């Protein structure tokens, strides 16, 4: 089963480099909703320790039955490093991902609440 983090690369742009990167992942699980939720909670401490991961929102798409996540990364390098990690590579097996997960990557160009911005210096 392929990881939703296989070879993630940002598309080049002509604009200024984005300070934060967002990765949105969707997948269908062979687990029940309760089992997915329990797995989210069990693995959350490991995600809290991931360098460069600013926030993770766990998702459920009621129209399709899919689960997913929105990851907020401090940089493209942090996202790429996570993609090479053991934690990222366990996602398909742990969640019994069925079919190919989908995902999109975007650079953040503005935030509504400045407290979410990465400190620069």
């Amino acid at each position: 089963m392929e990881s939703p983090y296989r070879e993630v690369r940002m598309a080049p742009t002509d604009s200024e480099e984005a300070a934060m990167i967002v990765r949105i992942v969707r997948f269908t699980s062979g687990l029940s909703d309760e089992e997915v939720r329990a797995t989210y909670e069990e693995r959350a401490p490991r995600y809290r320790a991931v360098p460069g991961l600013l926030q993770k929102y766990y998702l459920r798409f009621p129209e399709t039955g899919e689960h997913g996540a929105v990851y907020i990364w401090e940089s493209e390098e942090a996202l790429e490093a996570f993609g090479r990690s053991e934690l990222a590579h366990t996602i398909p097996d742990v969640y019994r991902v069925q079919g190919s997960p989908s995902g999109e990557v975007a650079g953040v160009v503005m935030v509504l609440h400045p407290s979410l911005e990465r400190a620069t210096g």
Side-chain angles (χ1 to χ4, degrees):
M1 185 64 56
E2 64 186 52
S3 169
Y5 276 89
R6 65 195 180 283
E7 304 226 8
V8 174
R9 297 268 183 224
M10 286 290 297
T13 65
D14 294 333
S15 63
E16 183 177 310
E17 184 176 327
M20 290 187 292
I21 304 297
V22 175
R23 173 84 170 145
I24 303 167
V25 176
R26 295 172 74 132
F27 63 90
T28 301
S29 177
L31 302 174
S32 70
D33 288 350
E34 294 78 21
E35 290 170 316
V36 170
R37 173 73 186 237
T39 304
Y40 284 164
E41 291 179 15
E42 182 266 322
R43 290 167 59 94
R46 293 179 67 190
Y47 281 95
R48 287 186 189 103
V50 171
L53 180 58
L54 302 175
Q55 185 59 273
K56 181 177 179 183
Y57 297 96
Y58 297 86
L59 307 175
R60 174 73 165 84
F61 297 89
E63 300 84 25
T64 63
E66 293 172 294
H67 296 274
V70 175
Y71 298 80
I72 312 294
W73 298 95
E74 70 179 9
S75 68
E76 182 178 354
E77 293 77 23
L79 167 61
E80 290 173 355
F82 176 72
R84 294 186 299 271
S85 73
E86 180 269 339
L87 184 58
H89 288 278
T90 62
I91 292 169
D93 291 334
V94 168
Y95 291 101
R96 294 189 203 159
V97 173
Q98 300 175 337
S100 294
S102 66
E104 295 183 293
V105 176
V108 176
V109 296
M110 183 181 135
V111 296
L112 179 62
H113 298 288
S115 63
L116 295 179
E117 287 188 78
R118 180 180 68 144
T120 59

